[in-house]
Amino acid sequence: MDSITHPSRRTLLKSVAATSVAAAFGGLLPLRSAWAQDLPLVSYPPSYQLKTPASMPQLYDLVRIEEQARMVMPAGGFGYVSGGAGDEWTLKENRAAFERRQIYPRVLTGHNTVDMRTSILGIPLASPVIVCPMGGQGLAHPTAEAGTAKGTADAGSLLTLSTVSTLSMEQVAAASTGPKWFELYLMQNQDVSRSLIRRAKAAGYQAIVVVVDTTATGNREADAINKFTFPLPFGNLSSGAGGDIHALNSAFATKIDPESIKFVAKESGLPVIVKGISHPKDALTALRAGAAAIWISNHGGRQLDGSPATFTVLPEIAKAVNRKVPIIFDSGIRRGQDVFKALALGADVVGLGRPVYYGLALGGAQGVNATLQLLNKELEMVMQLAGTATLADIRKTQLL
């Protein structure tokens, strides 16, 4: 990421973030029930203590937000969220790849308004930004995924809920009326997978997102360095797994193929989105198996270190898919220009991950909403300066 590849800038951002949180709001205060907003609250063991600002701190951008969140979350939880696999080359490359393409300014188009509205699989959206699935959001805030669901809905966006969420899918479904998809980690025990699928459909989730890049777990060394153990249970799974992420990883399917996608489609009767695609041949295989959408992702650099940035592989995959189904794109989005560039190279919508987690840490649902609104505001500005009035205009734009 940008802040990792430029240490001097990282030091500066730490200083500014500390000032914006501590000085502006009188330091960090213990968690208060006022942040609950009538949402369910997670109970923490003594070994895991969050702090949160007494008020929402000012969010300047979605790069600096990482250092603001570092002040709020315990080191182990923050490292679990922010870290990547191995040397974190892919984590950093996800950001660096955006810097290698530029947007032409267009200034004589006569446009003075932009329209960011879109839809995916029949779901209307305020902008082409949706929320990625992210596990264990209780690490960031006591409202966990319920806070994210509410903030996402308030922003007119769509939430994708992880199998390994802190709260159950039923609790999250009840937290907001906004649209939701369920991200399924296929299990070695097919009956467990079947139960998760049926529960998600019964709870009103509108699609199943099948994760296909987790047949092994990346070597996330920050967890070992921090001696991090998951302090909370997983709301969708039996108490047998508890909060032991290592035991849970051993329960995930180690073989995923086209029949896996067909199984989910048959069991759910819902659109099936295949997430974790980084190669055009895999995209075509997923299409032949019945995928309703392709989700290009390298898990935010958390799986195979040394793999290319998703932005690098996006054009080739988009060419292979040839607009047969929508393309969702994630990993590395931090700026409005990143969203613009991804759409210009073939994405239909983009997923925002870690910054949403950090916004949750800083302000619960309010922080999630503020994070999404900040990115949307940047995208609106970029569209105006690039002379594009609609998302269709972006898709016709040539990058330098």
Side-chain angles (χ1 to χ4, degrees), residues 154-319:
D154 290 345
S157 187
L158 179 151
L159 173 75
T160 312
L161 183 74
S162 172
T163 294
V164 290
S165 57
T166 303
L167 299 176
S168 72
M169 66 179 83
E170 291 84 4
Q171 288 175 298
V172 178
S176 81
T177 58
K180 302 174 187 71
W181 293 339
F182 181 71
E183 181 207 40
L184 176 68
Y185 279 66
L186 287 161
M187 302 291 178
Q188 293 190 41
N189 184 334
Q190 197 173 70
D191 288 338
V192 176
S193 297
R194 184 178 290 110
S195 173
L196 289 167
I197 293 167
R198 292 177 177 177
R199 284 173 57 196
K201 185 174 183 179
Y205 291 80
Q206 294 169 264
I208 304 296
V209 179
V210 181
V211 188
V212 295
D213 62 349
T214 55
T215 53
T217 303
N219 55 326
R220 301 166 195 169
E221 294 167 3
D223 295 344
I225 292 168
N226 290 324
K227 297 181 172 56
F228 176 70
T229 57
F230 232 84
L232 300 167
F234 302 110
N236 292 319
L237 303 169
S238 68
S239 57
D244 186 347
I245 194 70
H246 301 294
L248 185 59
N249 286 340
S250 67
F252 293 154
T254 56
K255 174 188 174 184
I256 299 176
D257 59 19
E259 293 305 313
S260 306
I261 299 168
K262 294 175 183 177
F263 162 76
V264 176
K266 180 180 178 181
E267 289 294 331
S268 69
L270 296 171
V272 176
I273 300 160
V274 180
K275 178 178 180 287
I277 299 295
S278 287
H279 196 288
K281 288 185 179 180
D282 285 331
L284 293 175
T285 298
L287 284 179
R288 289 192 292 268
I294 299 298
W295 193 318
I296 301 173
S297 174
N298 58 30
H299 227 90
R302 294 169 65 81
Q303 286 295 88
L304 178 60
D305 196 31
S307 63
T310 50
F311 188 67
T312 300
V313 301
L314 170 59
E316 193 175 1
I317 295 174
K319 181 179 179 181

Side-chain angles (χ1 to χ4, degrees), residues 333-375:
I333 295 286
R334 294 295 182 274
R335 291 284 189 180
Q337 55 262 40
D338 302 336
V339 179
F340 187 103
K341 292 175 184 179
L343 297 182
L345 291 189
D348 291 282
V349 300
V350 305
L352 189 64
R354 289 181 179 96
V356 172
Y357 219 119
Y358 301 147
L360 178 69
L362 294 169
Q366 180 187 0
V368 170
N369 184 16
T371 298
L372 292 166
Q373 297 291 3
L374 180 57
L375 187 62

Side-chain angles (χ1 to χ4, degrees), residues 370-390:
T371 298
L372 292 166
Q373 297 291 3
L374 180 57
L375 187 62
N376 287 342
K377 183 178 179 181
E378 281 196 1
L379 175 60
E380 183 179 22
M381 175 269 294
V382 173
M383 289 177 67
Q384 178 67 30
L385 294 177
T388 52
T390 67

Side-chain angles (χ1 to χ4, degrees), residues 1-7 9-10 63 91-92 95-96 99:
M1 292 179 351
D2 210 26
S3 57
I4 293 175
T5 53
H6 301 286
R9 185 180 178 196
R10 185 182 183 93
V63 176
L91 175 72
K92 290 175 275 191
R95 287 294 305 134
E99 298 177 0

